[in-house]
Amino acid sequence: MTYEEFHPYSFTDAEGQPQGVSIDLMRHIASVAGREVQFHANQNPAGMLSELRSGAADVTSLLALTPKRLTAGLGTRELGAFELRAFVRRDGPITTLGDLTGTTVGVVKGSFAITGARLVPFSKVVEFDTTDDLILPLLTGEIDAVVSSQNSFLRRLRMAHVEDSIVSLLPSLVISPYGFVVAPDQESLRTALNAAIDSSVTANLLATVEKKWFGRSRTLWDNKLVRWGLLLSTAMLAAILTLGYWFFHYRQQSAQLLRDRAGDQLLIRALDEVAAAIVIYDTELKAVHWNHGFELIFPSVVPALKKGATMRQMIVQSYVDGTIENDLSDIQIVDMVDQFVEDLRRGKSELRIVRTRDGRVFQARDVKLGSRHYASLRVDITQLQQQQDIITEQAVSLEAANEELRTFSSIAAHDLKAPLFSLLNLIDFMAEDMQEAGITLPQDIQVNWQEIESLSQRMMRLVQDLLVYATTQSECHQSEVIQPSHRLREVLDLVGPREGFDVTIAADMPDLRVNPIAFDMVMRNLIANALQHHDQERGYVVLEATTSGDAVTISVRDDGPGIPEQHWDEIFAPFHRLSTSTEGSGLGLAFIKKTVESWGGTVQVKAAEPRGAVFEVSFPRSTTAETALQQVVAV
């Protein structure tokens, strides 16, 4: 039997053995017919029919039993049907068969699909050697559609992991029965094969073979994230139910304990708020208990409490005599404290900071405990406040220093740019003048001249990069929601990949909220670096996105020479370059790091397998960013 490379109907596996639907069926039928079968691979249907006519083969693999093919041999019983369909890109402009008019359609050379492709009005039919050769041209837009057997082409799409990117159009172009084609002088062979088919090839056998080789389309359950999500949801629900049961169980026990030991529980609740100076008051706001911490922190107040002073009297006195720093009049103090007591009785509790005359700082809170008691809590945070004041002062100083540095960098870059621009123009003018005067420089002077021009150009790039680097922080906060996959294709057009290099951009990346210009510059730098520093004539760069929590990470992976691990941190320093054989200012990765960190993201590098490097840049998800923006607006 001669067979074509038409996966999964018939093909040669990695070990050189024939496999597929046609192979399995022929092995079964030949065994039942008492025949031995040898397999011989061919490129396409036309080659198989040629071998059939020449006597080099007795039978072909499964073929559509068209009248034209039956002139070359004898057809066996029908074993199924080829359903020819047109396949197009999911996100492309073609959505119906009518849209195919005048398009470019790809088919396998010599296959039955040519018949279906010719049914498309005014189409240009392009033939390829194998089914696999059709997939990439369809995805890249080199061809508009593919006409092929539905089951076989879907199988190849699943194996290439692009099933979600390509869809088939309905209705089918052609539905044609298929079977084996026997050499015209082998009538006895056809009779034997037909007898074996009639006696042993059942619907269950055909379904088993087709399931083995065609598989099935992916379902939602095939997604690992969905499966894990369901498992985690189930686990969380079980945990919630368990916690709910124990919560109500212990709540009942806790209520009983509260009733049994009401007095002690009041003090425990106060201590649970914070371990510090605590005073418990009755319904008249008279002190009934205070802890040892209160006596240590406020020893001068204890005698007044023992004499029956109320909370209101204590607070008013501390403000009037200046114990607590304030600039209020006596009337304002009384009104403030009366309002405070009224709010406290209604159960309103606010955390506030008070400063004493001796320089101490306290975090104060007064709360209602049940229906008959109140509590005052005071925590000395003097040291923490001092540290916070120092941090605030240092932050202000640091921001001022950073602003001065940015201003200096911008001024320096602008001041250097003008003379460099004049120098480059002067070099061009001198070259033109020498050319007009017919002056030819000696070879060694020409080399020096070119070196001067190259160094000047490099200095100009350095100044321009320094200017961009200095102004990055102020320009990277104007953000909007973008679709990365579409925008990265535009960035790639600007980069201009080197000949011999493939740059693959994953489709349907999650939306991001970033500054579009900053995003373009970061990704353009990473793609350009991957191409510029590659050490081979051919290679690839792959851009993919993953989601984790509130962040989306876009990775740029190449198969170049890679970056030694000991340099992973230092490459992001300004003016640092690992190689002097390529042009650059050494500010590219420093710009990337500064820009990414300005929007709250991170950038890191790691090794790729089997060679190359992977740069990973994190971005805020658009949904998270929108929620945060809404919260800010609400505040």
Side-chain angles (χ1 to χ4, degrees), residues 289-345:
H289 181 82
W290 54 88
N291 69 338
H292 182 64
F294 184 87
E295 294 182 352
L296 294 177
I297 297 174
F298 302 107
S300 60
V301 181
V302 175
L305 290 178
K306 290 182 177 180
K307 293 179 181 179
T310 65
M311 177 191 293
R312 179 182 181 280
Q313 292 171 335
M314 298 294 298
I315 296 177
V316 169
Q317 185 61 37
S318 64
Y319 274 85
V320 170
D321 63 15
T323 300
I324 298 178
E325 291 183 351
N326 69 93
D327 54 0
L328 303 175
S329 65
D330 291 349
I331 295 177
Q332 290 174 324
I333 292 173
V334 172
D335 290 341
M336 178 194 70
V337 175
D338 286 342
Q339 183 63 48
F340 168 77
V341 172
E342 182 180 349
D343 290 342
L344 179 62
R345 290 189 179 279

Short mmCIF file of all heavy atoms in Angstrom, two decimals, residues 289-345:
data_model
loop_
_atom_site.label_atom_id
_atom_site.label_comp_id
_atom_site.label_asym_id
_atom_site.label_seq_id
_atom_site.Cartn_x
_atom_site.Cartn_y
_atom_site.Cartn_z
N HIS A 289 -12.45 51.39 87.46
CA HIS A 289 -11.26 50.56 87.47
C HIS A 289 -10.25 51.12 86.48
O HIS A 289 -10.61 51.67 85.45
CB HIS A 289 -11.60 49.11 87.08
CG HIS A 289 -10.41 48.20 87.08
ND1 HIS A 289 -9.94 47.63 88.25
CD2 HIS A 289 -9.58 47.77 86.08
CE1 HIS A 289 -8.88 46.89 87.98
NE2 HIS A 289 -8.64 46.96 86.67
N TRP A 290 -8.98 51.01 86.84
CA TRP A 290 -7.89 51.37 85.91
C TRP A 290 -6.75 50.41 86.16
O TRP A 290 -6.56 49.91 87.27
CB TRP A 290 -7.46 52.84 86.06
CG TRP A 290 -7.10 53.23 87.47
CD1 TRP A 290 -5.91 53.14 88.09
CD2 TRP A 290 -8.00 53.77 88.42
NE1 TRP A 290 -5.97 53.58 89.37
CE2 TRP A 290 -7.25 53.99 89.60
CE3 TRP A 290 -9.36 54.11 88.41
CZ2 TRP A 290 -7.82 54.54 90.76
CZ3 TRP A 290 -9.92 54.67 89.55
CH2 TRP A 290 -9.16 54.85 90.71
N ASN A 291 -6.00 50.15 85.13
CA ASN A 291 -4.94 49.14 85.25
C ASN A 291 -3.65 49.77 85.74
O ASN A 291 -3.52 51.00 85.88
CB ASN A 291 -4.73 48.41 83.90
CG ASN A 291 -4.12 49.32 82.84
OD1 ASN A 291 -4.21 50.55 82.93
ND2 ASN A 291 -3.49 48.72 81.84
N HIS A 292 -2.69 48.92 86.00
CA HIS A 292 -1.40 49.38 86.52
C HIS A 292 -0.67 50.23 85.49
O HIS A 292 0.05 51.18 85.86
CB HIS A 292 -0.54 48.16 86.90
CG HIS A 292 0.78 48.53 87.50
ND1 HIS A 292 0.89 49.21 88.70
CD2 HIS A 292 2.06 48.31 87.05
CE1 HIS A 292 2.17 49.40 88.97
NE2 HIS A 292 2.90 48.87 87.99
N GLY A 293 -0.88 49.93 84.21
CA GLY A 293 -0.23 50.73 83.17
C GLY A 293 -0.67 52.18 83.21
O GLY A 293 0.14 53.08 82.96
N PHE A 294 -1.94 52.43 83.53
CA PHE A 294 -2.42 53.81 83.60
C PHE A 294 -1.70 54.56 84.74
O PHE A 294 -1.33 55.72 84.60
CB PHE A 294 -3.93 53.82 83.83
CG PHE A 294 -4.53 55.20 83.83
CD1 PHE A 294 -4.93 55.79 82.65
CD2 PHE A 294 -4.68 55.90 85.02
CE1 PHE A 294 -5.47 57.07 82.66
CE2 PHE A 294 -5.21 57.18 85.04
CZ PHE A 294 -5.62 57.77 83.85
N GLU A 295 -1.53 53.93 85.88
CA GLU A 295 -0.85 54.58 87.00
C GLU A 295 0.59 54.90 86.66
O GLU A 295 1.13 55.92 87.12
CB GLU A 295 -0.92 53.68 88.25
CG GLU A 295 -2.34 53.49 88.77
CD GLU A 295 -2.37 52.63 90.02
OE1 GLU A 295 -1.31 52.06 90.37
OE2 GLU A 295 -3.44 52.51 90.65
N LEU A 296 1.26 54.06 85.87
CA LEU A 296 2.65 54.32 85.49
C LEU A 296 2.75 55.47 84.49
O LEU A 296 3.68 56.29 84.56
CB LEU A 296 3.27 53.06 84.89
CG LEU A 296 3.44 51.86 85.85
CD1 LEU A 296 4.00 50.66 85.08
CD2 LEU A 296 4.39 52.23 87.00
N ILE A 297 1.81 55.54 83.55
CA ILE A 297 1.89 56.55 82.49
C ILE A 297 1.35 57.90 82.96
O ILE A 297 1.91 58.95 82.65
CB ILE A 297 1.12 56.06 81.24
CG1 ILE A 297 1.78 54.79 80.70
CG2 ILE A 297 1.08 57.13 80.16
CD1 ILE A 297 1.03 54.15 79.55
N PHE A 298 0.22 57.89 83.72
CA PHE A 298 -0.40 59.15 84.16
C PHE A 298 -0.55 59.17 85.68
O PHE A 298 -1.67 59.17 86.22
CB PHE A 298 -1.80 59.30 83.51
CG PHE A 298 -1.78 59.28 82.01
CD1 PHE A 298 -2.25 58.17 81.32
CD2 PHE A 298 -1.31 60.37 81.30
CE1 PHE A 298 -2.26 58.14 79.95
CE2 PHE A 298 -1.31 60.35 79.91
CZ PHE A 298 -1.78 59.23 79.23
N PRO A 299 0.55 59.18 86.42
CA PRO A 299 0.44 59.15 87.90
C PRO A 299 -0.25 60.38 88.48
O PRO A 299 -0.92 60.29 89.52
CB PRO A 299 1.90 59.06 88.36
CG PRO A 299 2.69 59.63 87.21
CD PRO A 299 1.96 59.26 85.97
N SER A 300 -0.15 61.54 87.84
CA SER A 300 -0.74 62.77 88.39
C SER A 300 -2.26 62.78 88.31
O SER A 300 -2.92 63.57 89.00
CB SER A 300 -0.19 63.99 87.64
OG SER A 300 -0.52 63.91 86.26
N VAL A 301 -2.83 61.91 87.47
CA VAL A 301 -4.29 61.91 87.27
C VAL A 301 -4.98 60.96 88.26
O VAL A 301 -6.17 61.10 88.53
CB VAL A 301 -4.62 61.50 85.81
CG1 VAL A 301 -6.11 61.51 85.56
CG2 VAL A 301 -3.91 62.41 84.83
N VAL A 302 -4.25 60.01 88.79
CA VAL A 302 -4.86 58.98 89.64
C VAL A 302 -5.59 59.57 90.85
O VAL A 302 -6.72 59.15 91.17
CB VAL A 302 -3.79 57.97 90.09
CG1 VAL A 302 -4.40 56.98 91.08
CG2 VAL A 302 -3.20 57.25 88.89
N PRO A 303 -5.03 60.56 91.58
CA PRO A 303 -5.77 61.12 92.73
C PRO A 303 -7.14 61.67 92.35
O PRO A 303 -8.12 61.48 93.08
CB PRO A 303 -4.85 62.23 93.23
CG PRO A 303 -3.49 61.79 92.81
CD PRO A 303 -3.69 61.14 91.46
N ALA A 304 -7.26 62.36 91.22
CA ALA A 304 -8.56 62.91 90.81
C ALA A 304 -9.54 61.80 90.52
O ALA A 304 -10.73 61.90 90.84
CB ALA A 304 -8.37 63.80 89.57
N LEU A 305 -9.07 60.71 89.89
CA LEU A 305 -9.96 59.59 89.62
C LEU A 305 -10.46 58.97 90.91
O LEU A 305 -11.64 58.60 91.02
CB LEU A 305 -9.24 58.53 88.77
CG LEU A 305 -8.92 58.90 87.32
CD1 LEU A 305 -8.17 57.76 86.64
CD2 LEU A 305 -10.19 59.22 86.54
N LYS A 306 -9.59 58.87 91.89
CA LYS A 306 -10.00 58.29 93.16
C LYS A 306 -11.05 59.14 93.87
O LYS A 306 -11.86 58.62 94.66
CB LYS A 306 -8.79 58.11 94.06
CG LYS A 306 -7.83 57.01 93.59
CD LYS A 306 -6.66 56.84 94.54
CE LYS A 306 -5.74 55.69 94.11
NZ LYS A 306 -4.59 55.52 95.05
N LYS A 307 -11.04 60.46 93.58
CA LYS A 307 -12.01 61.35 94.21
C LYS A 307 -13.34 61.37 93.46
O LYS A 307 -14.26 62.08 93.84
CB LYS A 307 -11.45 62.76 94.27
CG LYS A 307 -10.27 62.90 95.22
CD LYS A 307 -9.73 64.32 95.23
CE LYS A 307 -8.53 64.45 96.16
NZ LYS A 307 -7.99 65.84 96.17
N GLY A 308 -13.43 60.60 92.37
CA GLY A 308 -14.70 60.49 91.66
C GLY A 308 -14.83 61.38 90.45
O GLY A 308 -15.97 61.62 89.99
N ALA A 309 -13.72 61.91 89.91
CA ALA A 309 -13.80 62.76 88.72
C ALA A 309 -14.33 61.95 87.54
O ALA A 309 -14.03 60.77 87.38
CB ALA A 309 -12.43 63.34 88.39
N THR A 310 -15.17 62.60 86.72
CA THR A 310 -15.73 61.92 85.54
C THR A 310 -14.79 62.05 84.34
O THR A 310 -13.84 62.84 84.35
CB THR A 310 -17.10 62.51 85.17
OG1 THR A 310 -16.91 63.87 84.75
CG2 THR A 310 -18.06 62.45 86.36
N MET A 311 -15.09 61.26 83.28
CA MET A 311 -14.29 61.34 82.05
C MET A 311 -14.35 62.75 81.48
O MET A 311 -13.32 63.30 81.06
CB MET A 311 -14.82 60.33 81.03
CG MET A 311 -14.11 60.40 79.67
SD MET A 311 -14.94 59.45 78.37
CE MET A 311 -14.73 57.79 78.96
N ARG A 312 -15.55 63.37 81.50
CA ARG A 312 -15.68 64.71 80.94
C ARG A 312 -14.80 65.70 81.70
O ARG A 312 -14.09 66.52 81.11
CB ARG A 312 -17.15 65.13 81.00
CG ARG A 312 -17.41 66.54 80.46
CD ARG A 312 -18.89 66.91 80.61
NE ARG A 312 -19.13 68.22 80.09
CZ ARG A 312 -18.87 69.36 80.74
NH1 ARG A 312 -18.34 69.32 81.97
NH2 ARG A 312 -19.13 70.53 80.19
N GLN A 313 -14.84 65.63 83.04
CA GLN A 313 -14.04 66.56 83.84
C GLN A 313 -12.54 66.37 83.58
O GLN A 313 -11.79 67.34 83.48
CB GLN A 313 -14.35 66.35 85.33
CG GLN A 313 -15.76 66.76 85.72
CD GLN A 313 -16.11 66.35 87.14
OE1 GLN A 313 -15.53 65.40 87.69
NE2 GLN A 313 -17.09 67.05 87.75
N MET A 314 -12.10 65.10 83.44
CA MET A 314 -10.68 64.82 83.22
C MET A 314 -10.21 65.38 81.88
O MET A 314 -9.14 65.99 81.78
CB MET A 314 -10.44 63.31 83.29
CG MET A 314 -10.76 62.68 84.63
SD MET A 314 -9.65 63.25 85.94
CE MET A 314 -8.09 62.68 85.33
N ILE A 315 -11.01 65.20 80.84
CA ILE A 315 -10.60 65.67 79.52
C ILE A 315 -10.59 67.20 79.47
O ILE A 315 -9.64 67.81 78.96
CB ILE A 315 -11.54 65.09 78.43
CG1 ILE A 315 -11.42 63.58 78.39
CG2 ILE A 315 -11.21 65.69 77.07
CD1 ILE A 315 -12.37 62.92 77.40
N VAL A 316 -11.64 67.84 80.01
CA VAL A 316 -11.69 69.30 80.00
C VAL A 316 -10.50 69.87 80.74
O VAL A 316 -9.83 70.81 80.27
CB VAL A 316 -13.01 69.80 80.65
CG1 VAL A 316 -12.95 71.31 80.89
CG2 VAL A 316 -14.19 69.45 79.75
N GLN A 317 -10.18 69.31 81.91
CA GLN A 317 -9.07 69.83 82.70
C GLN A 317 -7.73 69.69 81.97
O GLN A 317 -6.89 70.58 82.01
CB GLN A 317 -9.02 69.09 84.05
CG GLN A 317 -7.96 69.63 85.00
CD GLN A 317 -8.19 71.10 85.36
OE1 GLN A 317 -9.34 71.53 85.52
NE2 GLN A 317 -7.11 71.86 85.46
N SER A 318 -7.54 68.52 81.29
CA SER A 318 -6.27 68.30 80.59
C SER A 318 -6.07 69.28 79.44
O SER A 318 -4.94 69.68 79.14
CB SER A 318 -6.20 66.86 80.08
OG SER A 318 -7.21 66.64 79.10
N TYR A 319 -7.17 69.72 78.79
CA TYR A 319 -7.06 70.71 77.72
C TYR A 319 -6.89 72.12 78.28
O TYR A 319 -6.11 72.92 77.75
CB TYR A 319 -8.30 70.65 76.82
CG TYR A 319 -8.21 69.62 75.72
CD1 TYR A 319 -8.57 68.30 75.96
CD2 TYR A 319 -7.77 69.97 74.45
CE1 TYR A 319 -8.49 67.34 74.97
CE2 TYR A 319 -7.69 69.02 73.44
CZ TYR A 319 -8.04 67.70 73.70
OH TYR A 319 -7.96 66.77 72.73
N VAL A 320 -7.63 72.44 79.35
CA VAL A 320 -7.59 73.80 79.91
C VAL A 320 -6.22 74.10 80.52
O VAL A 320 -5.66 75.19 80.33
CB VAL A 320 -8.70 73.98 80.97
CG1 VAL A 320 -8.51 75.31 81.72
CG2 VAL A 320 -10.06 73.95 80.30
N ASP A 321 -5.65 73.15 81.31
CA ASP A 321 -4.38 73.44 81.97
C ASP A 321 -3.17 73.24 81.04
O ASP A 321 -2.02 73.39 81.48
CB ASP A 321 -4.22 72.61 83.24
CG ASP A 321 -4.19 71.11 82.96
OD1 ASP A 321 -3.99 70.71 81.79
OD2 ASP A 321 -4.36 70.32 83.91
N GLY A 322 -3.42 72.84 79.78
CA GLY A 322 -2.33 72.72 78.81
C GLY A 322 -1.61 71.39 78.84
O GLY A 322 -0.57 71.24 78.18
N THR A 323 -2.11 70.42 79.61
CA THR A 323 -1.46 69.11 79.62
C THR A 323 -1.44 68.53 78.19
O THR A 323 -0.44 67.95 77.75
CB THR A 323 -2.20 68.15 80.56
OG1 THR A 323 -2.17 68.69 81.89
CG2 THR A 323 -1.54 66.78 80.55
N ILE A 324 -2.56 68.73 77.47
CA ILE A 324 -2.63 68.35 76.06
C ILE A 324 -2.51 69.61 75.21
O ILE A 324 -3.23 70.59 75.43
CB ILE A 324 -3.96 67.64 75.73
CG1 ILE A 324 -4.07 66.35 76.54
CG2 ILE A 324 -4.09 67.37 74.24
CD1 ILE A 324 -5.36 65.61 76.33
N GLU A 325 -1.56 69.61 74.29
CA GLU A 325 -1.32 70.79 73.45
C GLU A 325 -2.57 71.10 72.63
O GLU A 325 -3.17 70.21 72.01
CB GLU A 325 -0.15 70.53 72.50
CG GLU A 325 1.19 70.46 73.22
CD GLU A 325 2.34 70.28 72.24
OE1 GLU A 325 2.07 70.06 71.04
OE2 GLU A 325 3.50 70.37 72.67
N ASN A 326 -2.97 72.39 72.63
CA ASN A 326 -4.11 72.83 71.81
C ASN A 326 -4.08 74.34 71.73
O ASN A 326 -3.41 75.02 72.52
CB ASN A 326 -5.42 72.34 72.42
CG ASN A 326 -5.75 73.02 73.74
OD1 ASN A 326 -6.46 74.03 73.77
ND2 ASN A 326 -5.23 72.49 74.86
N ASP A 327 -4.84 74.89 70.79
CA ASP A 327 -4.95 76.34 70.64
C ASP A 327 -6.42 76.76 70.71
O ASP A 327 -6.83 77.72 70.04
CB ASP A 327 -4.33 76.80 69.31
CG ASP A 327 -4.91 76.06 68.12
OD1 ASP A 327 -5.78 75.19 68.32
OD2 ASP A 327 -4.48 76.34 66.97
N LEU A 328 -7.22 76.06 71.51
CA LEU A 328 -8.64 76.33 71.62
C LEU A 328 -8.92 77.22 72.81
O LEU A 328 -8.19 77.22 73.82
CB LEU A 328 -9.42 75.01 71.77
CG LEU A 328 -9.23 73.95 70.67
CD1 LEU A 328 -9.96 72.67 71.06
CD2 LEU A 328 -9.73 74.47 69.34
N SER A 329 -10.03 77.97 72.73
CA SER A 329 -10.49 78.76 73.89
C SER A 329 -11.23 77.84 74.85
O SER A 329 -11.57 76.71 74.52
CB SER A 329 -11.42 79.88 73.41
OG SER A 329 -12.62 79.33 72.87
N ASP A 330 -11.50 78.36 76.07
CA ASP A 330 -12.18 77.53 77.06
C ASP A 330 -13.57 77.11 76.57
O ASP A 330 -14.01 75.98 76.79
CB ASP A 330 -12.31 78.30 78.39
CG ASP A 330 -10.96 78.49 79.07
OD1 ASP A 330 -9.99 77.84 78.61
OD2 ASP A 330 -10.88 79.27 80.03
N ILE A 331 -14.28 78.03 75.90
CA ILE A 331 -15.62 77.70 75.39
C ILE A 331 -15.54 76.63 74.32
O ILE A 331 -16.34 75.68 74.31
CB ILE A 331 -16.30 78.98 74.83
CG1 ILE A 331 -16.54 80.00 75.96
CG2 ILE A 331 -17.63 78.62 74.15
CD1 ILE A 331 -17.14 81.30 75.50
N GLN A 332 -14.56 76.75 73.44
CA GLN A 332 -14.39 75.75 72.38
C GLN A 332 -14.05 74.37 72.97
O GLN A 332 -14.50 73.34 72.47
CB GLN A 332 -13.30 76.19 71.41
CG GLN A 332 -13.68 77.37 70.54
CD GLN A 332 -12.52 77.86 69.69
OE1 GLN A 332 -11.37 77.84 70.13
NE2 GLN A 332 -12.84 78.32 68.48
N ILE A 333 -13.24 74.38 74.06
CA ILE A 333 -12.88 73.11 74.70
C ILE A 333 -14.11 72.44 75.27
O ILE A 333 -14.32 71.23 75.09
CB ILE A 333 -11.83 73.36 75.80
CG1 ILE A 333 -10.49 73.79 75.18
CG2 ILE A 333 -11.64 72.09 76.65
CD1 ILE A 333 -9.46 74.20 76.20
N VAL A 334 -14.94 73.20 75.97
CA VAL A 334 -16.15 72.63 76.58
C VAL A 334 -17.08 72.08 75.50
O VAL A 334 -17.62 70.97 75.62
CB VAL A 334 -16.87 73.67 77.44
CG1 VAL A 334 -18.23 73.16 77.92
CG2 VAL A 334 -16.01 74.06 78.65
N ASP A 335 -17.30 72.86 74.45
CA ASP A 335 -18.19 72.41 73.37
C ASP A 335 -17.64 71.13 72.71
O ASP A 335 -18.41 70.20 72.40
CB ASP A 335 -18.33 73.49 72.31
CG ASP A 335 -19.13 74.69 72.83
OD1 ASP A 335 -19.86 74.51 73.83
OD2 ASP A 335 -19.02 75.78 72.22
N MET A 336 -16.32 71.08 72.52
CA MET A 336 -15.70 69.91 71.88
C MET A 336 -15.88 68.67 72.75
O MET A 336 -16.25 67.59 72.26
CB MET A 336 -14.21 70.17 71.63
CG MET A 336 -13.47 68.99 71.00
SD MET A 336 -11.69 69.18 71.11
CE MET A 336 -11.42 68.96 72.86
N VAL A 337 -15.64 68.81 74.07
CA VAL A 337 -15.74 67.66 74.96
C VAL A 337 -17.18 67.20 75.09
O VAL A 337 -17.46 65.98 75.11
CB VAL A 337 -15.14 67.99 76.33
CG1 VAL A 337 -15.35 66.83 77.30
CG2 VAL A 337 -13.65 68.31 76.20
N ASP A 338 -18.14 68.14 75.15
CA ASP A 338 -19.56 67.75 75.22
C ASP A 338 -19.96 66.95 73.97
O ASP A 338 -20.69 65.95 74.09
CB ASP A 338 -20.44 69.00 75.36
CG ASP A 338 -20.35 69.60 76.76
OD1 ASP A 338 -19.90 68.89 77.68
OD2 ASP A 338 -20.71 70.78 76.91
N GLN A 339 -19.51 67.38 72.83
CA GLN A 339 -19.82 66.66 71.60
C GLN A 339 -19.17 65.27 71.60
O GLN A 339 -19.77 64.28 71.18
CB GLN A 339 -19.32 67.45 70.38
CG GLN A 339 -19.67 66.81 69.03
CD GLN A 339 -21.17 66.72 68.82
OE1 GLN A 339 -21.90 67.69 69.01
NE2 GLN A 339 -21.64 65.54 68.42
N PHE A 340 -17.95 65.23 72.14
CA PHE A 340 -17.23 63.96 72.23
C PHE A 340 -17.97 62.97 73.13
O PHE A 340 -18.15 61.79 72.77
CB PHE A 340 -15.82 64.21 72.75
CG PHE A 340 -15.08 62.97 73.15
CD1 PHE A 340 -14.52 62.13 72.21
CD2 PHE A 340 -14.97 62.61 74.50
CE1 PHE A 340 -13.87 60.98 72.59
CE2 PHE A 340 -14.31 61.46 74.89
CZ PHE A 340 -13.76 60.65 73.92
N VAL A 341 -18.45 63.43 74.30
CA VAL A 341 -19.17 62.57 75.23
C VAL A 341 -20.49 62.10 74.62
O VAL A 341 -20.88 60.93 74.77
CB VAL A 341 -19.42 63.30 76.57
CG1 VAL A 341 -20.34 62.50 77.48
CG2 VAL A 341 -18.09 63.57 77.29
N GLU A 342 -21.16 63.00 73.91
CA GLU A 342 -22.43 62.63 73.28
C GLU A 342 -22.20 61.53 72.23
O GLU A 342 -22.97 60.56 72.16
CB GLU A 342 -23.07 63.86 72.64
CG GLU A 342 -24.42 63.57 71.99
CD GLU A 342 -25.02 64.83 71.37
OE1 GLU A 342 -24.50 65.94 71.63
OE2 GLU A 342 -25.99 64.69 70.60
N ASP A 343 -21.14 61.69 71.43
CA ASP A 343 -20.84 60.67 70.41
C ASP A 343 -20.49 59.34 71.06
O ASP A 343 -20.88 58.27 70.57
CB ASP A 343 -19.66 61.14 69.53
CG ASP A 343 -20.04 62.30 68.63
OD1 ASP A 343 -21.25 62.52 68.42
OD2 ASP A 343 -19.12 62.99 68.14
N LEU A 344 -19.74 59.39 72.17
CA LEU A 344 -19.35 58.17 72.84
C LEU A 344 -20.57 57.42 73.37
O LEU A 344 -20.65 56.19 73.26
CB LEU A 344 -18.39 58.50 73.99
CG LEU A 344 -17.90 57.32 74.82
CD1 LEU A 344 -17.11 56.34 73.96
CD2 LEU A 344 -17.04 57.80 76.00
N ARG A 345 -21.54 58.13 73.93
CA ARG A 345 -22.74 57.48 74.46
C ARG A 345 -23.56 56.83 73.33
O ARG A 345 -24.26 55.85 73.56
CB ARG A 345 -23.61 58.50 75.21
CG ARG A 345 -22.99 58.95 76.54
CD ARG A 345 -23.97 59.77 77.34
NE ARG A 345 -23.43 60.20 78.62
CZ ARG A 345 -23.36 59.45 79.72
NH1 ARG A 345 -23.82 58.21 79.69
NH2 ARG A 345 -22.87 59.93 80.84
#
